[in-house]
Amino acid sequence: MPSTPETDSSCTAAGTPPLHPGVDSQVDLPGGKSVAVRVYGRKTPGEAKPLVVHFHGGAFVSGDLDNGCTVAQLLLSAGAVVVSVAYPLAPQHPFPNAAEAGYEVLKWVFRQRTRMAGTGALVYLAGEEAGGNVAAAVSLMARDQAHPPLAGQILLSPMLDPCVGTPSLRQATGSATCCKWVEGWLSYLRSPRDAEHPYAVPAGSMRLQGLPPTLVLVGPDDPMRDEAMAYVTRLQAAGLQARGEVLSAAQHWPDALLAAQAQACPCAGAVQAQFQRFFEDTCHPVPS
């Protein structure tokens, strides 16, 4: 249960009125630690809503709950209850800290699903940029532990490949000799051997069977476009339900997704529609 009093947050999404103010709280972790979360939305009597555990971006080394407002509010607008997680950041907390904290929050949310989103609520994962990596890693952890059951995962411009040598990334960074995503990977991975671990680099996982349905969204000028779409192709080749979309209106992703108190987002309608379609496509019973 939350270990500190809850407080309201006035965070507002890009181009979206605040349908429900976020409520800040803490979730206890093993070892006496805790992680901050922000809950958007509440259950409606007689209705089960999608319940989404969400991870913000920031190249593993920055970002907070405010930076997660845009995506969290879009998920809220699509009908979900959202638990956004302030996972531990590198370099002070390198891999596997973020994934392990995320998995503990997922288990806590699953235990609270009826109270938070209604009887029969389905649980999802979502994340943008580095948060997309964490969401994909937590999905693998839940698969390997056979708990909790997931209805799906939503990845927006996810950081999945530390090789950072794709054409889309080279196009975005031009002639620069370094970039924040390279630096983020160097801070997150403790050693080259970490890059061999599927929870650190989900794109390199040798076993994809058993993962939940997946929605991947990227922009046309997105540095992570190629690695994200390659992950979709691998999921599909493994016989899994996966869909990837390049949204023409999604300009300047992933940075545009991380701006706290952002201005009107031209892609908000398209993203919300993708979320709603995904929730409808994955609406099936999950064992208790």
Side-chain angles (χ1 to χ4, degrees):
M1 295 297 292
S3 57
T4 61
E6 299 178 343
T7 57
D8 285 345
S9 168
S10 60
C11 182
T12 303
T16 306
L19 303 180
H20 181 269
V23 177
D24 290 349
S25 188
Q26 299 278 332
V27 173
D28 294 332
L29 302 178
K33 299 179 181 180
S34 64
V35 63
V37 298
R38 181 172 293 167
V39 181
Y40 298 85
R42 58 173 66 92
K43 71 177 181 180
T44 300
E47 178 185 358
K49 294 184 176 182
L51 180 55
V52 183
V53 179
H54 163 252
F55 304 96
H56 64 79
F60 299 113
V61 299
S62 64
D64 55 22
L65 295 174
D66 288 342
N67 295 111
C69 279
T70 296
V71 173
Q73 287 278 12
L74 288 171
L75 289 163
L76 173 65
S77 298
V81 174
V82 184
V83 181
S84 195
V85 185
Y87 55 89
L89 300 175
Q92 292 85 358
H93 304 286
F95 173 79
N97 284 272
E100 289 179 344
Y103 181 59
E104 292 299 326
V105 174
L106 171 63
K107 291 190 293 182
W108 178 84
V109 166
F110 186 76
R111 292 194 298 269
Q112 306 296 322
R113 65 193 184 282
T114 299
R115 177 182 65 83
M116 300 181 76
T119 302
L122 306 179
V123 179
Y124 295 78
L125 293 168
E128 61 272 16
E129 202 233 31
N133 174 289
V134 177
V138 173
S139 183
L140 287 165
M141 296 171 75
R143 188 264 324 261
D144 292 345
Q145 297 298 320
H147 181 79
L150 293 172
Q153 60 177 341
I154 300 171
L155 312 178
L156 299 89
S157 304
M159 290 177 65
L160 299 173
D161 186 355
C163 294
V164 292
T166 61
S168 63
L169 186 65
R170 291 198 302 270
Q171 181 179 358
T173 56
S175 60
T177 57
C178 64
C179 71
K180 62 183 178 182
W181 298 291
V182 172
E183 297 300 320
W185 277 112
L186 291 173
S187 295
Y188 185 57
L189 302 178
R190 298 164 300 178
S191 69
R193 290 196 63 85
D194 277 349
E196 301 173 6
H197 201 298
Y199 298 168
V201 183
S205 176
M206 301 301 293
R207 186 170 68 90
L208 298 175
Q209 287 76 12
L211 289 176
T214 301
L215 172 65
V216 174
L217 302 179
V218 295
D221 61 350
D222 195 327
M224 268 60 78
R225 183 193 65 215
D226 292 350
E227 63 193 79
M229 298 305 285
Y231 192 54
V232 172
T233 299
R234 287 199 63 215
L235 291 170
Q236 292 173 339
L240 300 175
Q241 180 182 339
R243 180 165 56 88
E245 298 286 347
V246 181
L247 303 180
S248 59
Q251 301 296 320
H252 309 299
W253 278 24
D255 291 345
L257 296 170
L258 310 181
Q261 305 291 342
Q263 299 301 313
C265 176
C267 63
V271 174
Q272 182 178 328
Q274 290 286 343
F275 290 167
Q276 290 173 327
R277 175 184 171 187
F278 185 66
F279 291 144
E280 292 170 358
D281 290 346
T282 55
C283 183
H284 52 77
V286 173
S288 299

